[in-house]
Amino acid sequence: MPFETITDIEQLIERLKGYHADVDLSLVRRAYEFSAKAHEGQTRRSGEPYLHHPLAVAGVLTSLKTDVAAVVAGLLHDTLEDTLATPEELEREFGKEVVHLVDGVTKIGKISFRNYEEKQAENFRKMVLSMADDIRVVLIKLADRLHNMRTLEYLSESKRRQIAQETLEIYAPLANRLGIGWIKNELEDLCLKHLKPDVYEMLRVRVAKRDEDRQQYIDEVIRLVKKAMADAGLPGEVYGRPKHLYGIYQKMEKQSISFEEVYDLTALRIITDTKMNCYALLGVIHSLWRPVPGRFKDYIAIPKSNLYQSLHTTVVGPKGEHVEFQIRTEEMHRVAEYGIAAHWRYKEQGRIDERDSKVFSWLRQFVEWHQDLPDNRQFMDSVKLDLFHDVVYVFTPKGMVKELPKGSTPVDFAYAIHTEIGDHCVGAKVNGKIVPLKHQLTSGDTVEILTSPNQTPHKDWLKFVRTSRAKTKIKHWLKAEEQKRSIEIGRRLLEAEFRRHGLAPAQMLKSEQLSEVARQAGFETTDELAAAIGYGRLATAQVVSKLLPVPTETEVPALPGVSAAPKTVVGKTEEKGVKVKGARDLLMQLSRCCNPVPGDRILGYITRGRGLTIHTVDCPNLEALDYDRDRLVEVEWDTAATGTHAVKVSVIAVDKTGVLANVSSSIAECQANISRAEITTREDRKAVLDFVIEVSDTAHLGRVLKAIERVDGVITARRVRAWQER
């Protein structure tokens, strides 16, 4: 049962001393005086001094037996939001721990809860937990809400209903999940009082009358049970367990029954010493009265998934009335009272998932600490609530909550709303301020996405988005766009080939002959045929040869599916010295970022408007093209081709006379031409000689580098690529 409301600092001190032997009274008194000064002149709607509220909140926290830091934070919980006090000032006076708690409560207080649908309400509750990295923040917020609900009658009816609805949907279930049953029950009863005052008053009067009428009956049942226990030699305590009004109201609503039909208003609990005696007491109860079929539950043999243990049975007691019994040990009762048996799995029809199980693990630790540390010196010390560290909960402008992985950005949020919004996202406002698209969201943020019909997804987004949905949608769009580009490239290549053979490009692209060639090659449309050409999988000469009235002199490989015995002819571009398997007449160029040289392992990539670009396999720029591996083409060097390739070489040498001349001579001796040279001197008296030289292949380059390194005064000589200079 909760303690009475605290009204002065001395009461608070006495309450603290009751469970905290060496409490720092000076810290508590300083917090009280600081709060009194900060709130000086402020009053509540009731007309009483505002200081009464933080005192009452601190009092609730002592009922929960929280540590001194939490009680001090309770006294100060409104100072950052409602007074001129600053975090720096609080830290100087009370330390970082107290400021952290007060700041956490302030942040939660700024959340605007709307849309109380079941799923939304659960997201709101998770948001509260995710914003509080310390369980004490949630406890202070619950204490704050409890006292506000106790004094709600001084507000307007609309405001009362709004706060009561929010409490019923968010804070009462939160207290239930954390196992603080008495706060949950009181909050629910107060909500019923303000949301359905007629129902509340009817139940209050009728339950009081029934309890008054039935007290003699309850006393008689307890007397009979105690006598039977004594006769059997079984130890234990028996006492009444009245149900709260909201629980009765819920049962009447769900079962569509009247107040008179609520049979189990009489509920008794028996606490004994051992598990064996629990079953023995069950036998005693069943020997006294007939059990009601289907109303027996053994949560000792098979505990609930939230670790709750107890025996439940309902019997037809004296005068034919139903009486419910719960039988458990002292340990089981202690666990249940502290929240391991929060009943939320039954009440909320939910399941305990991995993250929620951490709540109960923490509560079990909570119980063990309370038992092992009677002086509470380390009570809840540095307890961190890490249940939702991997997710954030953010608001849409309309108040809906979206759950996203930690590190998510406005782009992730945009795709979580709708694909179209993600595709056309150009910017975002977080809490009313413009932020970059790569800005990482935090729980409680309100996010507004700015869109433009001209905006399209960018491959750079893949570097910072976190959700699989965003990544999939971006890759899908990029792949579709690449498909369009491939068709464009393929059409242009076909048009060029048609012109080379004196055919009209516009007519040929629309001709039935081209459609027939596409079908023979296994494509449904000419666009698919053009895309295959654009991707480099098919050569234009292969296609056009099927459309010419007279076969060309050059033998061309047949299209897939056209000839039973196709020949493989490897096309090439002589000036580049690169061969593309199964193709010819492709636009081709060597990438400037990695400057491939014969002997390097290479790959080709189909680019928009530039045909095939050749990269070395270790080029970092290929990683940026990973979203569409289909555009990568296998290529190889043409060993029959001749020519030279420009390579940048950087030499570090001792800064002395003759070094440049000797290095230049060594390069010339290897039959390599220097096309450019640049010399700089460093502060450490070292010379940096940068050359662009012409070599035939990597073997030739290797000989040049070794010759340079043999020059007296040279320290290092290495090949340099454009991406290494960034």
Side-chain angles (χ1 to χ4, degrees), residues 671-704:
Q671 287 77 48
N673 181 54
I674 300 174
S675 60
R676 195 181 70 191
E678 183 178 331
I679 298 89
T680 56
T681 303
R682 302 191 319 201
E683 293 182 0
D684 60 356
R685 301 290 295 169
K686 299 294 189 302
V688 179
L689 315 177
D690 290 326
F691 299 96
V692 175
I693 61 177
E694 303 288 337
V695 296
S696 57
D697 54 28
T698 53
H700 187 192
L701 174 62
R703 292 195 299 273
V704 172

Side-chain angles (χ1 to χ4, degrees), residues 245-497:
L245 302 184
Y246 185 77
I248 297 171
Y249 165 73
Q250 274 192 313
K251 180 162 289 190
M252 290 168 59
E253 286 290 300
K254 288 180 179 178
Q255 299 180 14
S256 299
I257 59 177
S258 66
F259 177 79
E260 287 71 21
E261 294 174 288
V262 180
Y263 289 115
D264 55 353
L265 285 176
T266 303
L268 300 177
R269 183 174 289 146
I270 304 176
I271 308 296
T272 187
D273 56 350
T274 66
K275 184 187 299 185
M276 188 66 70
N277 282 340
C278 288
Y279 289 101
L281 284 168
L282 178 69
V284 168
I285 299 301
H286 285 180
S287 68
L288 288 174
W289 302 289
R290 179 172 56 86
V292 176
R295 296 298 300 274
F296 169 66
K297 300 290 183 182
D298 186 349
Y299 293 118
I300 293 180
I302 306 176
K304 289 186 178 183
S305 56
N306 59 11
L307 308 182
Y308 174 86
Q309 288 184 291
S310 187
L311 297 177
H312 292 193
T313 188
T314 300
V315 299
V316 181
K319 302 179 182 178
E321 297 197 22
H322 286 200
V323 181
E324 180 186 352
F325 285 91
Q326 290 181 353
I327 308 170
R328 61 179 68 149
T329 67
E330 193 70 50
E331 168 67 13
M332 294 173 192
H333 181 62
R334 181 170 61 84
V335 170
E337 287 295 295
Y338 274 100
I340 300 299
H343 294 299
W344 66 270
R345 182 170 183 257
Y346 165 73
K347 300 287 187 182
E348 300 176 15
Q349 299 178 344
R351 288 188 150 208
I352 295 179
D353 59 22
E354 182 181 353
R355 290 181 297 194
D356 291 321
S357 69
K358 293 181 183 179
V359 175
F360 298 108
S361 297
W362 177 83
L363 286 169
R364 166 171 274 182
Q365 195 173 24
F366 176 102
V367 173
E368 291 171 353
W369 285 347
H370 189 196
Q371 183 182 40
D372 299 338
L373 301 169
D375 61 353
N376 259 344
R377 282 176 301 191
Q378 301 175 34
F379 185 67
M380 292 170 65
D381 180 31
S382 300
V383 178
K384 297 298 179 185
L385 186 63
D386 199 24
L387 308 177
F388 303 100
H389 66 284
D390 54 344
V391 294
V392 293
Y393 297 89
V394 294
F395 286 108
T396 69
K398 293 185 178 179
M400 297 292 289
V401 177
K402 292 292 180 181
E403 177 180 325
L404 298 169
K406 187 174 182 179
S408 290
T409 65
V411 177
D412 294 289
F413 178 83
Y415 278 107
I417 300 298
H418 196 278
T419 301
E420 285 292 314
I421 294 177
D423 286 347
H424 300 297
C425 172
V426 293
K429 288 183 179 180
V430 174
N431 303 324
K433 296 181 180 179
I434 295 287
V435 298
L437 289 179
K438 62 174 65 175
H439 172 82
Q440 292 192 0
L441 304 174
T442 58
S443 286
D445 284 344
T446 297
V447 186
E448 179 185 354
I449 299 299
L450 308 176
T451 61
S452 168
N454 299 321
Q455 173 71 358
T456 56
H458 197 282
K459 64 183 179 183
D460 286 345
W461 291 1
L462 292 171
K463 297 177 182 177
F464 57 76
V465 294
R466 290 296 305 276
T467 60
S468 58
R469 175 180 172 84
K471 290 178 181 177
T472 301
K473 294 295 182 181
I474 294 168
K475 288 180 180 179
H476 175 77
W477 189 93
L478 291 173
K479 196 165 186 176
E481 190 64 17
E482 289 296 322
Q483 177 78 359
K484 294 178 186 176
R485 294 173 183 174
S486 298
I487 293 172
E488 291 175 12
I489 294 171
R491 282 178 172 274
R492 280 203 300 274
L493 292 173
L494 277 173
E495 288 173 358
E497 186 71 6

Side-chain angles (χ1 to χ4, degrees), residues 182-209:
W182 67 268
I183 287 185
K184 166 196 171 282
N185 290 348
E186 186 174 350
L187 286 176
E188 286 180 340
D189 282 354
L190 290 168
C191 290
L192 183 65
K193 177 181 178 181
H194 293 285
L195 292 173
K196 295 183 179 295
D198 295 341
V199 173
Y200 174 84
E201 190 60 23
M202 179 272 291
L203 289 176
R204 187 188 66 79
V205 172
R206 298 182 76 171
V207 167
K209 181 69 168 65

Side-chain angles (χ1 to χ4, degrees), residues 579-600:
K579 299 188 294 186
V580 183
K581 296 181 180 179
R584 68 191 241 182
D585 302 315
L586 291 179
L587 298 173
M588 190 182 304
Q589 63 178 347
L590 299 177
S591 170
R592 294 180 180 178
C593 58
C594 52
N595 294 328
V597 173
D600 287 329

Side-chain angles (χ1 to χ4, degrees), residues 26 33 162 208 211 266 283 302 351 356 418 474 524 569 628 672:
S26 64
E33 291 166 2
Q162 177 189 339
D211 284 350
T266 303
I302 306 176
R351 288 188 150 208
D356 291 321
H418 196 278
I474 294 168
E524 293 185 6
V569 175
D628 193 352

